[in-house]
Every structure is written in C-alpha cells, then in structure tokens.
Amino acid sequence: MITYSTENVSMPKIRKRDTTAWIRRVAATYGRTVGEVGYLFCDDDKIIEVNREYLGHDYYTDIITFDYCEGARINGDLVISLDTVRSNAQLFHKPYEEELYRVIIHGILHLCGINDKGPGEREIMEAAENRALAMR
C-alpha cells in the first residue's frame, strides 16, 4: 500500500490513484513489488529536522528515503520537501510538476536498488528517472 500525507504543507496536486499505479509499474520493471511505502510531503523546516535527527546531516534536500525493503518487496518512507522541489524546479528551469514527479520516483528507484552518490551513479539515476517519467 502506498500512502500520502503532509506536514506543514498542503497536499500537492497529484492524482494519487494514477501515481500509485505508475509507481507500481516502475517497480515492476525492476522485478519489484510494492509493499508499504509512505510519502510525507513537508516543508524545508521539517526536512532539515529529519536530516539532522536521523542522518546527522545539516543541510536541505529534496528527498530522504528510508529503506525497509525485504527481498523483491519494496518498503520505505519517503520524505519530500516541497520547498526544495520548487526551488530546484526554478534552478533547473523545469516545470514544478515535472520536478515533483521526478523526486517522487527518485525515492522509489532508490528502493529498487539504484544509487546516485558514487562515480557514474548520478548518470544512471538520471537515465532511470527519465525512463520512469516517460512511463507516466
């Protein structure tokens, strides 16, 4: 089950049923099924609080992914700062909605085993994001 909740922000205008079906399709392309996935949409104040408390990082980010996967079943909590998504959309000259969906699927791709911190991994993640966005 995929759940969507908010803290300190309004729920973004996403079609939850369509978004959930899309997430399931993307996960299936990696041989994964969706178990319990929870999205929390929040503001920058909340995401830096989570970043500090759970990761020991003192900076803003667009998404934090907590991975609780079991085998081929993806489970996790994804915390998304809508403030940072909006800032990044402006920075990268992308529509807000496109950047939001990119971040939504970014966390799922992490749960499917794709990383973006090591050498060459960012390019692999971007290609995976683009393939997933094309499936929407």
Side-chain angles (χ1 to χ4, degrees):
M1 178 159 86
I2 300 175
T3 59
Y4 305 90
S5 60
T6 63
E7 187 168 324
N8 303 330
V9 296
S10 298
M11 181 64 69
K13 292 181 175 139
I14 59 171
R15 297 178 64 167
K16 293 177 192 172
R17 184 171 291 153
D18 292 343
T19 301
T20 295
W22 171 57
I23 290 167
R24 291 182 189 282
R25 284 193 310 274
V26 171
T29 67
Y30 293 92
R32 309 294 172 103
T33 59
V34 176
E36 298 292 325
V37 174
Y39 282 93
L40 174 64
F41 298 102
C42 63
D43 60 5
D44 275 349
D45 289 341
K46 180 64 179 179
I47 205 148
I48 200 164
E49 174 188 315
V50 171
N51 222 355
R52 287 173 179 154
E53 182 175 343
Y54 294 98
L55 302 176
H57 299 158
D58 193 26
Y59 54 80
Y60 298 101
T61 187
D62 50 3
I63 184 168
I64 299 172
T65 303
F66 294 97
D67 184 338
Y68 313 124
C69 293
E70 299 170 350
R73 188 177 191 87
I74 64 170
N75 299 292
D77 288 320
L78 299 98
V79 183
I80 296 176
S81 170
L82 297 181
D83 293 337
T84 300
V85 169
R86 188 168 285 105
S87 297
N88 286 346
Q90 292 172 346
L91 179 67
F92 301 130
H93 307 287
K94 299 286 185 183
Y96 170 74
E97 181 179 273
E98 179 182 327
E99 187 65 17
L100 176 59
Y101 280 104
R102 181 175 297 279
V103 173
I104 286 170
I105 209 61
H106 181 93
I108 296 299
L109 294 170
H110 274 308
L111 297 178
C112 289
I114 299 173
N115 296 312
D116 60 355
K117 299 293 185 213
E121 290 179 338
R122 181 69 220 151
E123 293 79 8
I124 293 168
M125 176 62 85
E126 286 178 12
E129 289 170 352
N130 290 336
R131 284 192 303 274
L133 288 168
M135 295 173 63
R136 235 182 86 221

